[in-house]
Amino acid sequence: MDILIKHLRPLLAPYWKQIWITMLTLLLITGARLVIPEIIRTLIDVGLVQKNTEILMRSAIWILLIGVARAALIFLQRYTSQWIAQRTAFDLRNRLYDHIQRLSFTYHDKSQTGQLISRCIEDVSSTNEFLGNGIFEITQIVLLIGGITILLFSTNWLLAIVALLPMVPLLLMTSRFGVRISKLFLQIDQAMGELSARLQENVTGAQVVKAFAREPYEIERFDYANRRLYDTRLETFSEFARVFPTTNLLVTLGTIFILFFGGFMVLRGELTIGELVAFNAYLLIMAQPAQQLTWVVNMGGEAVAGMQRIFEILDTKPDIETPENASVLPELTGRVEFKNVSFRYAGEEQYALEDIDFTAEPDQVIALIGPTGSGKTSLINLIPRFYDVAAGEVLIDGQDVRSLDLPTLRRQIGIVLQTSLLFSDSVAENIAFGRESATDEEIVAAARVAQADKFIRELPDDYSTIVGERGITLSGGQRQRVAIARALLMNPRILILDDSTSSVDTETEHLIQEALAELMEGRTTFVIAHRLSTVKRADLILVLDRGRIVQRGKHEELVAFDGLYKEIYDLQLKDQEEFAGITQSN
């Protein structure tokens, strides 16, 4: 519970006025509830025993007025408590989402999407439920039990002790129950996150699952995660089922003690009938919050578990942040320099890059080529500082990227990733994703350069057409061209193309290359490609193998010497170029 108090205090701090209003209404509701048994005592001892009709009428009117006032106060209390809960959940969900957006690639590399979704929705909801009901229920329980205890002892201290004896084991049992239930709810939240992750992965990879006929395997994996959630929930409800009947029994014992011992006191003249009825009424009023205590503890346990998972994220500091007193970049010239750079991913012993050293001058085209896993994508990810180097420096215009303001750095770098991700929005919104202020004319111009305008015009609503999730309604080549248009619209000083023509046919690739040739003027461009046809005109070709630069130079220089580049050339282009030469000579 300490974690709940620690983290809820700053969340609730902005709404102290609403909290005080809610607490005041709870105090008035509790006071009104405690007055009624005293009115009933007067009604019996004076109105009925002494046959005083005026007391009977007055008591009935007071009970009616108190009932109406309580109804109005309960409405106000419910409204303000739910307002506080919903507002706090709104703030917490926004804060959590904002923090997830700021966490670095290192965090997302090892996190399951389903787990993050579960924490943003399920765990925030459990916290919201406790804020809307749990906190104020606990307050009301404390007020009622405290008030009733004082009234019982002021009426007859001996009978009060007898009546409250069963409450001692009830409170002890509830506290132990709270400890056990918190651990169980943490297991439930983890199981729910695992189930969400399984579902998200399966829905995202539905095509792969069907292509390999792996439906039975995926069903079995989902069933296992679902079974774990089922078993944990069942264990939780079993725990709850064991506690709840015991609380009823203890409350019933209290009533029996009052009627038995209180009855003897009435017979001996030590207690009036009205006092006995009022005494029992107070105990019955106490019984309800005593029974609710297990429910509130249950709710608190779920909230504690949810808070633990939420603040596991919120307490995680981003690995990549803008440093204090960071340099705000003016418009870049585009000079990029790698000085003895080595890099490895978090948790990995082997380096993905070692001793990378080269300089890209403004307006140059730098091509990166090499086998899969050679470190090409890792290298270009260091330029916008998606990751930090393990050794060495990455300099842009002579400044270490670790000293720069991240937003201003990344706004001047246009990136087309190997896998083009589009959002479930219109084509125009996807193109303008990096520049919200872009005009329709600028969006269309970028699409034309990327050779996307023609197919977009053929869509049902052209630029207003909504693409499916991850752009599923478009072909791979179409998605890639929209992604290229998105990068071009930013008018970047540094352009990164991570195998950006891998999903297009040869004809479209040729058209895009012609457009990009014009676009690359005045920009420093990094091109990752597996096809040599796309890198032949580069100013500098870097050949990578196992994280190292093994060759560098222009196309003509590299094919003149034996090495990895010539091997790739012999496999891909040599026969084509020789055939083209024979054809031209004929």
Side-chain angles (χ1 to χ4, degrees):
M1 195 63 74
D2 290 342
I3 186 174
L4 203 59
I5 296 170
K6 173 187 173 184
H7 291 305
L8 284 182
R9 191 178 299 158
L11 286 172
L12 293 171
Y15 310 115
W16 62 270
K17 290 181 181 178
Q18 290 82 359
I19 292 171
W20 276 113
I21 291 171
T22 307
M23 291 300 182
L24 180 61
T25 55
L26 275 176
L27 188 62
L28 293 173
I29 290 167
T30 304
R33 196 171 182 183
L34 295 179
V35 166
I36 290 177
E38 184 61 26
I39 295 174
I40 293 173
R41 184 195 66 78
T42 305
L43 186 148
I44 293 172
D45 288 343
V46 180
L48 293 178
V49 174
Q50 299 179 15
K51 298 180 181 180
N52 188 328
T53 56
E54 184 182 347
I55 293 295
L56 290 174
M57 291 296 297
R58 193 184 301 167
S59 298
I61 291 170
W62 272 113
I63 290 172
L64 176 63
L65 291 174
I66 290 170
V68 172
R70 278 190 69 222
L73 288 169
I74 288 171
F75 169 79
L76 178 61
Q77 182 265 318
R78 294 287 182 188
Y79 179 83
T80 53
S81 64
Q82 284 300 320
W83 186 93
I84 292 166
Q86 297 302 327
R87 182 68 203 189
T88 307
F90 173 82
D91 294 343
L92 185 58
R93 200 175 288 114
N94 275 345
R95 183 179 167 191
L96 188 58
Y97 184 80
D98 179 75
H99 192 73
I100 289 172
Q101 293 295 312
R102 297 176 190 280
L103 288 173
S104 59
F105 276 38
T106 305
Y107 180 84
H108 290 286
D109 288 342
K110 58 186 179 183
S111 298
Q112 289 181 309
T113 305
Q115 288 281 1
L116 295 179
I117 293 171
S118 174
R119 297 187 191 202
C120 287
I121 297 173
E122 295 289 336
D123 294 339
V124 172
S125 294
S126 64
T127 305
N128 174 42
E129 181 69 18
F130 183 74
L131 288 172
N133 297 302
I135 287 180
F136 301 109
E137 287 291 341
I138 289 174
T139 304
Q140 191 169 35
I141 288 169
V142 170
L143 289 173
L144 277 172
I145 291 177
I148 290 170
T149 301
I150 292 170
L151 288 169
L152 291 181
F153 274 94
S154 64
T155 303
N156 189 297
W157 67 269
L158 184 59
L159 188 58
I161 291 173
V162 172
L164 294 176
L165 276 176
M167 296 299 159
V168 176
L170 175 64
L171 293 173
L172 291 173
M173 183 181 63
T174 303
S175 63
R176 291 176 183 173
F177 171 74
V179 174
R180 292 196 301 270
I181 209 71
S182 294
K183 294 178 181 178
L184 287 172
F185 271 115
L186 182 58
Q187 293 175 24
I188 285 176
D189 287 344
Q190 289 169 342
M192 180 66 76
E194 183 182 343
L195 191 70
S196 299
R198 290 278 176 268
L199 182 61
Q200 186 270 335
E201 286 179 358
N202 191 266
V203 171
T204 304
Q207 291 176 321
V208 177
V209 173
K210 292 184 180 298
F212 287 88
R214 294 288 281 173
E215 291 92 342
Y217 172 73
E218 289 298 327
I219 290 170
E220 185 178 344
R221 289 178 73 201
F222 185 85
D223 180 71
Y224 175 79
N226 198 19
R227 174 68 60 179
R228 184 185 169 204
L229 177 62
Y230 166 78
D231 290 340
T232 311
R233 279 198 179 277
L234 195 62
E235 185 180 354
T236 304
F237 291 130
S238 297
E239 191 73 35
F240 192 78
R242 282 194 294 270
V243 170
F244 194 73
T246 309
T247 62
N248 279 330
L249 177 61
L250 291 171
V251 170
T252 304
L253 282 175
T255 303
I256 292 171
F257 289 165
I258 285 177
L259 294 176
F260 184 78
F261 291 101
F264 276 105
M265 289 181 177
V266 170
L267 292 175
R268 291 198 299 265
E270 299 172 2
L271 203 68
T272 67
I273 295 174
E275 287 174 334
L276 179 62
V277 172
F279 217 97
N280 192 57
Y282 280 127
L283 191 68
L284 291 175
I285 291 173
M286 185 185 284
Q288 184 182 355
Q291 290 173 328
Q292 284 179 329
L293 197 57
T294 53
W295 173 71
V296 172
V297 170
N298 176 51
M299 191 189 302
E302 192 170 359
V304 167
M307 272 289 186
Q308 282 181 307
R309 283 163 49 84
I310 288 170
F311 279 90
E312 276 179 13
I313 297 176
L314 291 178
D315 291 340
T316 301
K317 293 185 177 180
D319 296 325
I320 310 295
E321 287 186 290
T322 297
E324 293 184 13
N325 304 317
S327 302
V328 177
L329 281 171
E331 185 173 344
L332 293 175
T333 63
R335 189 174 193 270
V336 179
E337 188 176 1
F338 277 62
K339 284 188 173 182
N340 304 317
V341 168
S342 294
F343 166 73
R344 62 183 171 191
Y345 291 97
E348 297 289 331
E349 293 184 4
Q350 187 174 355
Y351 281 93
L353 295 170
E354 285 189 82
D355 298 324
I356 302 298
D357 194 276
F358 71 91
T359 300
E361 298 294 344
D363 305 343
Q364 279 192 337
V365 177
I366 310 298
L368 306 175
I369 195 164
T372 301
S374 58
K376 302 182 297 296
T377 301
S378 297
L379 189 151
I380 57 114
N381 279 340
L382 298 177
I383 299 171
R385 204 188 165 204
F386 291 154
Y387 300 91
D388 272 338
V389 299
E393 294 177 303
V394 177
L395 307 176
I396 293 183
D397 285 1
Q399 297 187 67
D400 193 321
V401 293
R402 290 171 293 187
S403 68
L404 301 176
D405 178 67
L406 281 176
T408 57
L409 168 66
R410 290 173 180 173
R411 286 192 195 107
Q412 298 193 61
I413 300 175
I415 303 174
V416 181
L417 297 174
Q418 190 172 11
T419 304
S420 300
L421 174 66
L422 302 185
F423 297 92
S424 185
D425 210 330
S426 70
V427 175
E429 289 291 337
N430 271 286
I431 294 174
F433 185 75
R435 256 188 72 197
E436 294 181 43
S437 60
T439 64
D440 292 343
E441 291 75 15
E442 289 173 325
I443 291 170
V444 172
R448 283 175 180 160
V449 174
Q451 301 296 319
D453 180 66
K454 182 179 178 181
F455 84 78
I456 293 172
R457 298 288 185 186
E458 294 171 353
L459 296 174
D461 298 312
D462 54 71
Y463 283 85
S464 298
T465 301
I466 303 295
V467 301
E469 186 179 2
R470 305 183 317 280
I472 196 68
T473 55
L474 302 180
S475 70
Q478 290 172 335
R479 287 198 300 272
Q480 202 75 329
R481 280 178 277 172
V482 170
I484 290 171
R486 179 169 60 191
L488 302 184
L489 188 60
M490 292 179 65
N491 192 26
R493 301 303 303 163
I494 297 173
L495 185 65
I496 296 174
L497 306 173
D498 185 357
D499 210 8
S500 56
T501 58
S502 61
S503 299
V504 299
D505 55 69
T506 306
E507 181 182 356
T508 305
E509 179 190 6
H510 176 70
L511 294 172
I512 291 175
Q513 290 297 340
E514 286 187 347
L516 289 179
E518 181 180 343
L519 177 74
M520 289 175 187
E521 291 295 327
R523 291 180 174 84
T524 306
T525 306
F526 292 84
V527 180
I528 294 177
H530 289 99
R531 301 174 185 173
L532 292 190
S533 57
T534 63
V535 303
K536 285 175 62 178
R537 289 175 288 181
D539 297 296
L540 175 65
I541 300 172
L542 301 176
V543 184
L544 282 84
D545 189 25
R546 298 180 182 179
R548 293 178 177 272
I549 298 175
V550 294
Q551 287 181 282
R552 68 180 72 201
K554 291 192 174 185
H555 171 73
E556 295 77 10
E557 297 169 350
L558 293 173
V559 294
F561 299 96
D562 291 334
L564 182 57
Y565 188 87
K566 190 171 188 305
E567 290 176 14
I568 298 171
Y569 169 77
D570 290 342
L571 287 172
Q572 289 189 14
L573 291 180
K574 184 178 181 181
D575 291 343
Q576 295 179 24
E577 290 183 350
E578 288 178 354
F579 178 77
I582 293 171
T583 304
Q584 289 175 3
S585 64
N586 291 336

